[in-house]
Amino acid sequence: STVKKSKVLSNESRKELAKQAKETKEERRAQIDGRHRYLISRLADGIDLSEQQVEETIISDDKFQLIEQFFAPSGPKKLIFFYQDVFQQKSNASLRPDGSANNLPQKNLFITMGSTENFTGTCAFFLRTSDEVITASNVSQEVNFGMFDCTNGNILQGLEFFLSQIMIPALKSQQNWGAVKEGLKNSQIQEFLYAVDKFVGTLSSSRQNIEDKIQLRKMDIDVYVRNLQNPSDYITAG
């Protein structure tokens, strides 16, 4: 009877948790406005998901409050999403012979601080340009969207592509540099662009050095020495 009672309590607890989760999602769904719609639209376009899928993911995320903090006056300057494989255990999955759970990879979109999960897929990020409160009317001017790919964990390659193919061309075609009236002709702007180019070059060299590393393999030298009989044979083998 004790076992039956614990199962009933467990089922009731699960139902209560599910009810609370549903209520939380609906509360968050009611908060969705033009600011959220802007984020959802950019994410859907960039990651090739439907806006409905993105919305459902966002309101189900336990870090949903980071979005509200991002919109607040003087809020965080960045809001980061990862879209990558996450290992999830199915509720009916059986244990392996070694006792470990049968986890299966599934691609998920989730909000992240950027330092708590390993980055192995696609990073989508929003950057705010000022400390003003983000509203539905100014979100498209105050918030910039960007992405870079790190498939198979190749972060250097993803960052190099993002900078060299997206950011640097965008910077070099930029006409408005704020208080700097002469724009690209200004010496400080030219020094800045030179520094960015140099950084990308260093990044590329580092990546190539890592990818082109030398791997030594064990050789069977007996095949080379078994027939050596006199000094000339050794010289030839050498």
Side-chain angles (χ1 to χ4, degrees):
S1 61
T2 303
V3 173
K4 289 182 179 179
K5 186 175 181 181
S6 64
K7 285 184 178 179
V8 171
L9 290 174
S10 178
N11 289 336
E12 290 178 351
S13 298
R14 283 199 294 268
K15 289 179 180 179
E16 182 60 28
L17 289 173
K19 180 182 177 183
Q20 292 176 3
K22 184 177 180 181
E23 290 175 351
T24 299
K25 286 175 61 176
E26 294 310 313
E27 289 175 2
R28 291 173 176 175
R29 198 187 305 277
Q31 298 175 33
I32 298 294
D33 57 24
R35 302 169 301 171
H36 301 83
R37 293 291 174 201
Y38 176 81
L39 305 188
I40 291 170
S41 175
R42 299 286 82 76
L43 288 169
D45 289 342
I47 299 177
D48 197 24
L49 294 173
S50 70
E51 293 191 9
Q52 184 178 0
Q53 287 175 306
V54 175
E55 177 181 327
E56 200 64 27
T57 296
I58 286 176
I59 64 175
S60 303
D61 200 301
D62 58 2
K63 294 186 179 69
F64 179 83
Q65 74 279 2
L66 293 180
I67 299 177
E68 304 307 309
Q69 294 173 15
F70 180 72
F71 290 150
S74 300
K77 295 295 185 182
K78 64 181 182 297
L79 179 64
I80 303 174
F81 292 80
F82 284 172
Y83 182 60
Q84 61 192 27
D85 284 337
V86 177
F87 285 91
Q88 296 181 337
Q89 181 181 351
K90 290 188 174 181
S91 57
N92 60 348
S94 59
L95 294 179
R96 295 193 181 98
D98 62 0
S100 62
N102 184 20
N103 291 335
L104 298 174
Q106 181 177 339
K107 216 161 197 179
N108 281 352
L109 174 68
F110 57 92
I111 306 170
T112 176
M113 298 292 291
S115 58
T116 52
E117 295 91 3
N118 291 331
F119 176 35
T120 60
T122 299
C123 173
F125 57 88
F126 296 91
L127 303 176
R128 51 186 296 166
T129 58
S130 72
D131 290 329
E132 293 185 20
V133 60
I134 304 300
T135 65
S137 59
N138 71 6
V139 62
S140 60
Q141 288 79 39
E142 295 293 333
V143 176
N144 295 321
F145 173 67
M147 293 177 58
F148 69 90
D149 184 57
C150 174
T151 305
N152 300 322
N154 199 334
I155 296 177
L156 291 183
Q157 185 177 23
L159 184 57
E160 178 189 343
F161 180 87
F162 172 73
L163 291 173
S164 63
Q165 302 299 315
I166 299 173
M167 289 305 299
I168 290 179
L171 288 171
K172 290 183 176 179
S173 64
Q174 180 79 8
Q175 299 299 318
N176 181 12
W177 288 84
V180 182
K181 301 303 179 184
E182 61 268 38
L184 292 174
K185 296 180 181 179
N186 181 272
S187 59
Q188 289 182 314
I189 299 298
Q190 291 176 355
E191 289 176 9
F192 166 69
L193 293 176
Y194 173 77
V196 177
D197 275 325
K198 188 175 180 180
F199 172 71
V200 173
T202 302
L203 196 64
S204 178
S205 297
S206 301
R207 177 183 58 79
Q208 290 175 20
N209 288 337
I210 292 174
E211 291 176 352
D212 296 337
K213 61 187 176 184
I214 298 174
Q215 293 184 334
L216 302 179
R217 60 190 180 93
K218 188 175 181 179
M219 298 294 296
D220 180 11
I221 64 171
D222 184 57
V223 69
Y224 298 104
V225 301
R226 68 167 64 113
N227 295 321
L228 301 182
Q229 297 183 13
N230 55 57
S232 65
D233 291 339
Y234 283 90
I235 294 174
T236 303

